[in-house]
Amino acid sequence: MPVTTQIANLAGHSIIAGQQTPGEAGTTHGINPATGGELSPAYSLITEAQLAAATAAAEEAFESFKELEPEAHAAFLEQAAANVEAAGQDLISRAALETGLPEARLTGELARTTGQLRLFAAVVRQGDYRGVRIDPALPARQPVPRPDIRQRKIPLGPVAVFGASNFPLAFSTAGGDTASALAAGCPVVFKAHNAHPGTSEIVGRAIAEAARDLGLHPGVFSLIYGPGASIGQALAKDPAIKAVGFTGSRSAGTSLMATAAARPEPIPVYAEMSSINPVFLFESALRSEAGELAGAYVTSLTGSSGQLCTNPGLLFVPVGKDGDAFVVAVRHLLAQAHGATMLTPGIARSCREGIDALEGQDGVEVVARGVEGSTENAPAPMVFGTDVPTFMSNTVLQEEIFGAASLVVRYHSAAELVAAAQSMEGQLTATLLLTEEDHPVAAPLIPVLERKVGRIIANGWPTGVDVGNAIVHGGPFPATSDSRTTSVGTLAIERFLRPVAYQNIPNGLLPEPLREDNPWNLTRRVEGIISQHP
Amino acid sequence: MPVTTQIANLAGHSIIAGQQTPGEAGTTHGINPATGGELSPAYSLITEAQLAAATAAAEEAFESFKELEPEAHAAFLEQAAANVEAAGQDLISRAALETGLPEARLTGELARTTGQLRLFAAVVRQGDYRGVRIDPALPARQPVPRPDIRQRKIPLGPVAVFGASNFPLAFSTAGGDTASALAAGCPVVFKAHNAHPGTSEIVGRAIAEAARDLGLHPGVFSLIYGPGASIGQALAKDPAIKAVGFTGSRSAGTSLMATAAARPEPIPVYAEMSSINPVFLFESALRSEAGELAGAYVTSLTGSSGQLCTNPGLLFVPVGKDGDAFVVAVRHLLAQAHGATMLTPGIARSCREGIDALEGQDGVEVVARGVEGSTENAPAPMVFGTDVPTFMSNTVLQEEIFGAASLVVRYHSAAELVAAAQSMEGQLTATLLLTEEDHPVAAPLIPVLERKVGRIIANGWPTGVDVGNAIVHGGPFPATSDSRTTSVGTLAIERFLRPVAYQNIPNGLLPEPLREDNPWNLTRRVEGIISQHP
């Protein structure tokens, strides 16, 4: 299939079921956060009536998409990836302009985005997520015969996805939520983040064109621009929508959770929200490589202006001279670190407010201070310091500051670490920096962390999420709204599926994945045991 | 392991972490619903302070139970099954006394209950539910090396389970929720249904004694009796509780959902609530076996006094002489059907109220009427009739009447059936009674039903849920609070698990299921592909 995406001109409109749709609720503009200047074109915003057309089209597309043959389904995801890839440098340039993120970072993010789509294409081809289970009939069973019972997972229905500000590609229009929902067979209505409307249009067009070129119902994907939070709330309330994917702030995420729970038919919300990602630095590791660790910490903290959900916002460092030396090294390194443009003026403002709030807390001191950036919206990176009792007694110290700000907590003992970990809210990650000598001290912490986080890392840094089959990007509330899943990696597809059982259904009426001759060559669990089809 | 359950004397107290615990919030009695008389002994009710001891014990038991070696874990479930089984006739007699259910029905239910526990023991031994996924390190990968990432599912934490009135064994103390939560590695705090306190004590003792005999922390299971709904709300609010299993009314279930969503840390609620289980009778099937179908309908409707979540509360019958003949046959059969004692006076009252409400609706007529039972609380079975437009225009006709009451809806066309199905709320089941000749008419209904129900049945009746690996006892709201799962069958274990990823964790610090040498011999998904251990 040739790549057809043309990105020469941005139209500035929603794409509803394949159609450029001028919105009737005013306009907005992208902002260049480095200058504060408005970017062309203006983006028209849709009304709730126009939104209803998008959700109705998604509902109309559902049944054929749900039963799409795996090869065509996978080809759609691959074509979307190829179309996004073909937008290439134009896409990266636009994203850089709208977000202030460096092009090198965006180049990596683009590869991750297309890689995710292709990974889910492979998942669709492989088919295990369909969850086929067969308990064959046992007509002679006593006291009653057993009927033939077959189970498969079906997609939930149309899904609303909300783009994140901080990953304009990988957690946005064709990001992990969209990719996994489309892979599950759920049409997607994507609400663009108003911080990167042009980026969203380029990618949205790529997906819509893939659907068109492969002959799918155009309702499988819509991209909408709307005024403020109201259109998002309307989307989450729409009866056609059966699940929500969201990445963003705790306040916006919990608001969507409340909306979804209050519907006549409540629906699941997968919101990835807030995390300070504790890092535990142990004695022996500190002794052996204090300087390298200080450098790696500052790099992890300041990359992407700290605007990463797995940013190390909290670092536990032992008291004593090695810990002191580490802190001094951080101070020297950070003194040379310049703030970089943040995604939006609002995010930069919130970051400054969070820094001011932390600086004003009793028992918290400034440990290291970077340099204000030369562009707009580029606050200086900051590291604060405190001790465990202060950390445990003040919940302000557990609040995420979205940006390059972190808190070093000095600890005296393993018991203090365990107590501090137990006092924490849910997190996406926890990190252990240790040598073998530290294992006895670290071991009792692990069961505590398992209860609190989605991913435990040793001798790495939490930033950098490797998309694959084993990754978990999730965790207990408030890291996410639903700890039973992940928003990154192949397991994410399970968020959008539900099981249905078919009892004694004649073969001719069974859906293809369950038919006796297994036309899709799926792995089946027969009598509870996995049975790969020959 | 010898069976140690002694049921000679009921103590009348909660069992908190293995200890008989007299409650300090007054007492209640079981009621014999056939006579209205109080049953001995009195049951003492616990205070919220006493409840906190149960949840604290569950939390204390969690870590060791979570990492319990599979053979010991499975042995616990099997010992619980053996202990319940050993209670035998005493247990069945007590359950019959408390519920009014026939002993034959309870004998089957006991076998189902112990069978469930043993099925989950097999699931624990087999271990696939642990969801082990490994993406091995790729040190040479460009542009960055891949770390070693391993994933497993861990239990959510202590679980609150609420017993159902209508299955004093299979959906109660050692029922499907308890069995699947214990299999997942979650300690259970079980809130007894006050309608069968003695039955609950016998079974609760069997579980507590299994835990004791196998040397588990006694906090793995507690059985509590409490005053009214307040103790249940307190249990769902307790910070130690990480999930709720519930079977019961829509109002109680949605109340628990609201409580769980409003917690500082929201938790999942698995509530199985309300369903009218539509049955679709097609022309050719009707022609060929109208008499048998009428008999089977009346049997399915009146069994267990209609107090089954999959009771056929709604039957679509074609207009015309065959449908008329079917209705006449139902009328004759039901005229000889006697009401049987319902579970509680309150349930019998609600059933009568529901019948009265339905009888008062415009366009609804009585089609068949049974005979009031000779005991207390035994309303006459009832079948009402209406047409599709009336059914679709009045939501009262979609409300569950818990008991032997059903509505026959006469239809003209396949299009009417599809429209009626589309207008319905979520259901546990939908049933098709058809011959091959009916397939073209039935086929377009199936995709509609897949969106609405958890299980589609052909040529059977919805009552009778076969516990196995492929069954789904679930469905969209209001059938359940969470359509992504099932409360019966082996898949139910997944309700109580969440994934955790371990990145670059040294082998010695990894939990056993993830260690390099695979000491528990688990199936692993390596690079996304299932790999059975040799």
Side-chain angles (χ1 to χ4, degrees), chain B residues 52 81 110 144 159 189 219 228 239 265 321 341 400 445 461 488 499 530:
Chain B
L110 178 58
V144 289
V159 169
V189 178
E265 180 196 20
K321 68 175 176 43
T341 304
E400 181 183 36
L445 200 56
W461 290 85
V488 175
I530 288 165

Side-chain angles (χ1 to χ4, degrees), chain B residues 204-226:
Chain B
R205 234 190 256 186
I207 302 173
E209 288 171 5
R212 185 198 63 200
D213 291 349
L214 284 150
L216 303 188
H217 188 295
V220 296
F221 179 79
S222 289
L223 161 68
I224 61 165
Y225 301 92

Side-chain angles (χ1 to χ4, degrees), chain B residues 287-461:
Chain B
R287 263 198 315 278
S288 59
E289 43 174 352
E292 283 165 43
L293 288 170
Y297 171 50
V298 170
T299 300
S300 179
L301 175 64
T302 57
S304 300
S305 306
Q307 301 165 119
L308 300 175
C309 22
T310 55
N311 194 50
L314 186 62
L315 178 65
F316 289 89
V317 176
V319 297
K321 68 175 176 43
D322 293 325
D324 293 345
F326 173 86
V327 168
V328 167
V330 168
R331 183 175 303 138
H332 287 148
L333 288 165
L334 206 70
Q336 294 149 48
H338 289 249
T341 304
M342 296 190 77
L343 295 157
T344 70
I347 287 173
R349 197 180 318 119
S350 292
C351 179
R352 290 185 205 279
E353 287 166 3
I355 286 170
D356 289 349
L358 196 51
E359 195 160 356
Q361 300 300 308
D362 284 345
V364 174
E365 53 169 16
V366 175
V367 157
R369 193 187 293 273
V371 182
E372 184 87 13
S374 56
T375 59
E376 296 289 302
N377 302 311
M382 297 288 290
V383 174
F384 295 90
T386 194
D387 55 22
V388 172
T390 304
F391 173 76
M392 288 177 60
S393 64
N394 184 350
T395 56
V396 173
L397 279 55
Q398 284 207 30
E399 285 171 18
E400 181 183 36
I401 298 173
F402 190 67
S406 185
L407 178 64
V408 169
V409 180
R410 304 296 296 269
Y411 71 91
H412 287 86
S413 64
E416 256 197 347
L417 280 189
V418 167
Q422 276 168 337
S423 80
M424 275 180 222
E425 293 190 296
Q427 308 288 341
L428 294 171
T429 68
T431 301
L432 312 171
L433 300 168
L434 76 183
T435 67
E436 196 158 354
E437 203 177 308
D438 297 311
H439 285 196
V441 185
L445 200 56
I446 289 180
V448 179
L449 297 177
E450 288 173 329
R451 306 286 300 276
K452 297 284 184 183
V453 314
R455 180 167 57 116
I456 305 175
I457 303 143
N459 296 326
W461 290 85

Side-chain angles (χ1 to χ4, degrees), chain B residues 50-373:
Chain B
Q50 293 182 298
L51 171 67
T55 56
E59 173 60 29
E60 204 181 282
F62 177 72
E63 184 55 29
S64 60
F65 193 42
K66 160 175 163 272
E67 303 297 344
L68 190 61
E69 180 270 320
E71 187 51 42
H73 193 162
F76 166 51
L77 297 172
E78 287 170 342
Q79 186 66 35
N83 290 356
V84 170
E85 210 161 51
Q89 188 53 47
D90 288 348
L91 174 57
I92 286 167
S93 300
R94 179 75 191 191
L97 202 61
E98 291 184 326
T99 64
L101 292 168
E103 295 210 352
R105 142 71 198 268
L106 290 165
T107 301
E109 191 182 330
L110 178 58
R112 173 173 166 179
T113 305
T114 54
Q116 265 177 179
L117 287 163
R118 292 184 172 118
L119 180 63
F120 279 109
V123 167
V124 167
R125 280 206 181 82
Q126 200 246 6
D128 284 4
Y129 70 95
R130 294 180 191 270
V132 174
R133 292 171 167 234
I134 300 180
D135 288 345
L138 298 174
R141 191 186 64 174
Q142 293 300 329
V144 289
R146 185 172 77 179
D148 177 280
I149 306 182
R150 290 160 192 251
Q151 182 185 123
R152 67 161 175 166
K153 288 188 172 168
I154 68 168
L156 288 177
V159 169
V161 175
F162 292 79
S165 61
N166 64 334
F167 277 83
L169 302 170
F171 282 87
S172 189
T173 319
D177 285 346
T178 298
S180 54
L182 291 177
C186 296
V188 167
V189 178
F190 179 80
K191 159 78 172 63
H193 199 292
N194 286 345
H196 52 263
T199 308
S200 297
E201 183 183 344
I202 296 169
V203 178
R205 234 190 256 186
I207 302 173
E209 288 171 5
R212 185 198 63 200
D213 291 349
L214 284 150
L216 303 188
H217 188 295
V220 296
F221 179 79
S222 289
L223 161 68
I224 61 165
Y225 301 92
S230 64
I231 202 82
Q233 290 292 327
L235 179 56
K237 280 178 192 162
D238 191 295
I241 295 297
K242 299 303 183 192
V244 172
F246 168 88
T247 305
S249 71
R250 182 167 177 171
S251 61
T254 52
S255 166
L256 282 172
M257 289 166 68
T259 297
R263 287 168 47 122
E265 180 196 20
I267 56 172
V269 172
Y270 302 105
E272 191 247 279
M273 297 179 288
S274 164
S275 183
I276 55 175
N277 303 298
V279 177
F280 300 88
L281 180 44
F282 292 91
E283 291 276 5
S284 168
L286 181 60
R287 263 198 315 278
S288 59
E289 43 174 352
E292 283 165 43
L293 288 170
Y297 171 50
V298 170
T299 300
S300 179
L301 175 64
T302 57
S304 300
S305 306
Q307 301 165 119
L308 300 175
C309 22
T310 55
N311 194 50
L314 186 62
L315 178 65
F316 289 89
V317 176
V319 297
K321 68 175 176 43
D322 293 325
D324 293 345
F326 173 86
V327 168
V328 167
V330 168
R331 183 175 303 138
H332 287 148
L333 288 165
L334 206 70
Q336 294 149 48
H338 289 249
T341 304
M342 296 190 77
L343 295 157
T344 70
I347 287 173
R349 197 180 318 119
S350 292
C351 179
R352 290 185 205 279
E353 287 166 3
I355 286 170
D356 289 349
L358 196 51
E359 195 160 356
Q361 300 300 308
D362 284 345
V364 174
E365 53 169 16
V366 175
V367 157
R369 193 187 293 273
V371 182
E372 184 87 13

Side-chain angles (χ1 to χ4, degrees), chain A residues 211-302:
Chain A
R212 183 198 65 200
D213 292 348
L214 284 151
L216 304 188
H217 188 295
V220 295
F221 179 80
S222 289
L223 161 68
I224 62 165
Y225 301 91
S230 64
I231 202 82
Q233 291 290 328
L235 180 55
K237 281 179 191 161
D238 192 295
I241 296 296
K242 299 302 182 193
V244 172
F246 168 87
T247 304
S249 71
R250 183 168 177 171
S251 60
T254 52
S255 166
L256 282 171
M257 289 167 69
T259 298
R263 289 166 47 121
E265 179 196 20
I267 57 172
V269 171
Y270 302 105
E272 191 246 281
M273 296 180 288
S274 165
S275 184
I276 55 174
N277 304 299
V279 178
F280 300 88
L281 181 43
F282 292 92
E283 290 277 6
S284 167
L286 180 60
R287 263 199 312 279
S288 59
E289 43 175 352
E292 281 166 45
L293 288 170
Y297 171 50
V298 170
T299 301
S300 180
L301 175 64
T302 56

